[in-house]
Amino acid sequence: MKQKKLFGMAVISSLILSHNVYSQSSKLTTSQLSGQVNTVTTAVPFLMIGPDSRAGAMGDAGVATSPDANSIHWNPSKLAFIDKNFGLSLSYTPWLRNLVSDINLAYLSGFYKVGKDATLAASLKYFSLGDITFTDITGTETGTFKPHESAFDLAYARKLSSNFSGGLAIRYISSDLTNGQTTSSGTTKVGRSVAADISVFYNNDKVKLGDKKSVVTAGLNISNIGSRISYTETAQRDFIPINMRLGAGLKIIADEYNTIAFTVEAAKLLTPTAPLYAYDSTGAYVYDLDGNKVIEKGKDPNRGVVAGMLGSFNDAPGGGSEELKEITLAGGLEYWYDNLLAIRAGYFHEAATKGNRKYFTLGVGVKYSAFGLDFSYLIPTVQNNPLQNTLRFTLLFNFDKKAMAKDVPLEDNN
């Protein structure tokens, strides 16, 4: 119970007073900046959690893999190339179980082809932080609550040519973390935002490697382009995790029973990095004539969404070397035997000063007729990592009108 009370207090402190994050590096001198932790932080980070087991087993890489029912999260434009008429996916992830026992992520997604070249999709992501007991400053219990966050997506993907497709997703985000608790910053409220994803996908299935038929893919997705979010009327509005993913993939069809696919991708948050503020010999901040803190290195993080996105490539106080550290890398492989059994593995890397997430992933998948089941497991390379022992489970259902009505050609099912 004590752990849950402390966690509840942490939720309010970290989210309602989130503008204090930008002062994390403010007590560092320029000479001390190198090697210091300066993570890029945003509101509603649950949007960045990979929801499905397939990508979860491949190092959380999914922008350029072959399409499935979960593509709306990784790259909606992939769905234009999906070879089924409609499908559903249901995923469940117990989250941070090494810290708290009842945090979990549930994800439901589905797609429907509306012709040879276009696909509609929708998804619902629900992140539950379990039961939390809130307390006031004296430690007196003020009630219990089930904080939760959710995102509802609608997406459209269309082929632009035989090899290219484009996709657009619209997202409604709701974050209810405090149940209207009152803090020193005022009465809290539900945080809400609307965002969009813009994506493209390349798919070439006419490639030959030696005598082996192969498929080359590439993808780009800029996700969560949307308004900033606030949990009180007075607090500063915070960026949501606008994120850019860029990747490539290669699938080799060894024979009629065996295929193996490789994928790599890089990702970067397109949100401001905390600057280095100036302070005097007493350790107090230096303010300008307008009452704003003087920035010694970096840029003012309090700017508009478009300015924040464009400025995210050159606003790190450590310069270009720090900007490069903000890029995460992921890669994975997937082996299929007879389109029935899949074995997957991957790796994810993030710089130590930007979050230090480093882990291997493993997973398996089985498919029978229209039914599929995937499982993944995360193995961190850093000791005492809260992501340790993360499991993901996914059920998939894929249906083909042609198989259900064999006398009607697939291309005529519009």
Side-chain angles (χ1 to χ4, degrees):
M1 177 64 73
K2 182 177 180 180
Q3 183 185 31
K4 300 295 285 186
K5 290 179 182 178
L6 292 175
F7 188 71
M9 295 172 66
V11 168
I12 295 179
S13 299
S14 62
L15 293 167
I16 305 308
L17 303 177
S18 59
H19 58 279
N20 289 338
V21 169
Y22 290 122
S23 65
Q24 285 181 349
S25 63
S26 60
K27 294 301 180 182
L28 305 175
T29 64
T30 303
S31 61
Q32 292 173 320
L33 184 63
S34 177
Q36 298 293 332
V37 174
N38 190 22
T39 57
V40 180
T41 58
T42 70
V44 290
F46 83 100
L47 294 175
M48 296 292 292
I49 300 175
D52 65 295
S53 300
R54 183 192 178 205
M58 300 173 69
D60 283 321
V63 75
T65 54
S66 58
D68 60 19
N70 297 295
S71 294
I72 189 173
H73 173 83
W74 302 100
N75 183 346
S77 61
K78 294 195 302 181
L79 289 166
F81 285 92
I82 201 159
D83 60 358
K84 299 295 181 181
N85 281 92
F86 56 102
L88 295 170
S89 176
L90 177 62
S91 300
Y92 177 77
T93 304
W95 194 247
L96 300 180
R97 285 302 168 92
N98 282 357
L99 297 180
V100 183
S101 62
D102 56 358
I103 298 179
N104 59 78
L105 177 73
Y107 187 68
L108 175 65
S109 61
F111 69 89
Y112 181 81
K113 289 190 76 72
V114 292
K116 292 189 300 182
D117 299 329
T119 305
L120 294 173
S123 71
L124 175 64
K125 179 183 284 189
Y126 185 86
F127 187 58
S128 172
L129 282 79
D131 294 309
I132 290 181
T133 300
F134 290 108
T135 63
D136 59 22
I137 194 170
T138 65
T140 302
E141 293 187 9
T142 60
T144 59
F145 179 56
K146 294 180 179 292
H148 57 276
E149 300 177 300
S150 61
F152 176 69
D153 298 5
L154 292 173
Y156 176 76
R158 186 173 185 84
K159 286 185 180 180
L160 305 176
S161 70
S162 59
N163 297 124
F164 283 95
S165 64
L168 175 67
I170 304 296
R171 178 170 301 111
Y172 172 75
I173 304 160
S174 176
S175 178
D176 189 359
L177 299 176
T178 59
N179 195 32
Q181 297 286 317
T182 300
T183 71
S184 58
S185 296
T187 302
T188 62
K189 65 176 183 177
V190 178
R192 294 186 174 90
S193 181
V194 176
D197 299 356
I198 300 174
S199 61
V200 292
F201 184 62
Y202 172 79
N203 184 88
N204 187 345
D205 59 1
K206 307 298 183 183
V207 177
K208 286 277 190 177
L209 288 181
D211 61 344
K212 305 299 181 184
K213 181 180 178 181
S214 302
V215 182
V216 173
T217 56
L220 170 68
N221 184 26
I222 302 177
S223 60
N224 303 316
I225 306 169
S227 58
R228 297 195 293 174
I229 197 169
S230 177
Y231 295 90
T232 70
E233 297 296 339
T234 58
Q236 169 182 312
R237 299 179 67 85
D238 297 301
F239 281 88
I240 62 176
I242 304 171
N243 188 54
M244 180 176 67
R245 295 180 184 273
L246 175 65
L250 172 67
K251 181 170 73 173
I252 302 172
I253 304 172
D255 53 44
E256 62 178 317
Y257 294 107
N258 300 280
T259 64
I260 186 168
F262 306 88
T263 188
V264 292
E265 77 177 49
K268 186 185 187 306
L269 281 169
L270 305 184
T271 54
T273 303
L276 175 68
Y277 292 104
Y279 65 98
D280 60 25
S281 58
T282 66
Y285 293 116
V286 177
Y287 292 87
D288 61 22
L289 296 178
D290 295 323
N292 301 314
K293 295 177 185 175
V294 174
I295 295 174
E296 184 176 343
K297 283 280 189 177
K299 293 184 177 180
D300 185 358
N302 188 23
R303 52 189 188 265
V305 172
V306 175
M309 291 175 61
L310 298 177
S312 66
F313 293 97
N314 65 347
D315 64 352
S321 61
E322 185 176 351
E323 291 290 352
L324 290 175
K325 291 178 181 178
E326 293 181 357
I327 299 174
T328 61
L329 301 174
L333 61 87
E334 178 181 55
Y335 165 76
W336 275 98
Y337 173 74
D338 200 22
N339 206 33
L340 296 174
L341 174 66
I343 299 174
R344 306 179 178 106
Y347 180 72
F348 181 92
H349 174 85
E350 182 178 59
T353 57
K354 294 296 176 178
N356 203 30
R357 290 175 297 165
K358 300 180 178 69
Y359 50 81
F360 289 98
T361 57
L362 299 170
V364 295
V366 292
K367 185 188 297 183
Y368 180 75
S369 186
F371 169 79
L373 175 64
D374 293 332
F375 165 84
S376 68
Y377 182 70
L378 188 151
I379 307 170
T381 61
V382 180
Q383 290 186 348
N384 301 318
N385 191 308
L387 295 177
Q388 186 172 346
N389 300 324
T390 295
L391 302 172
R392 293 184 178 97
F393 308 89
T394 299
L395 288 171
L396 296 117
F397 303 90
N398 291 296
F399 303 95
D400 194 331
K401 290 180 183 177
K402 186 176 181 179
M404 298 172 67
K406 295 182 179 180
D407 58 328
V408 180
L410 175 62
E411 59 267 23
D412 291 337
N413 281 288
N414 293 325

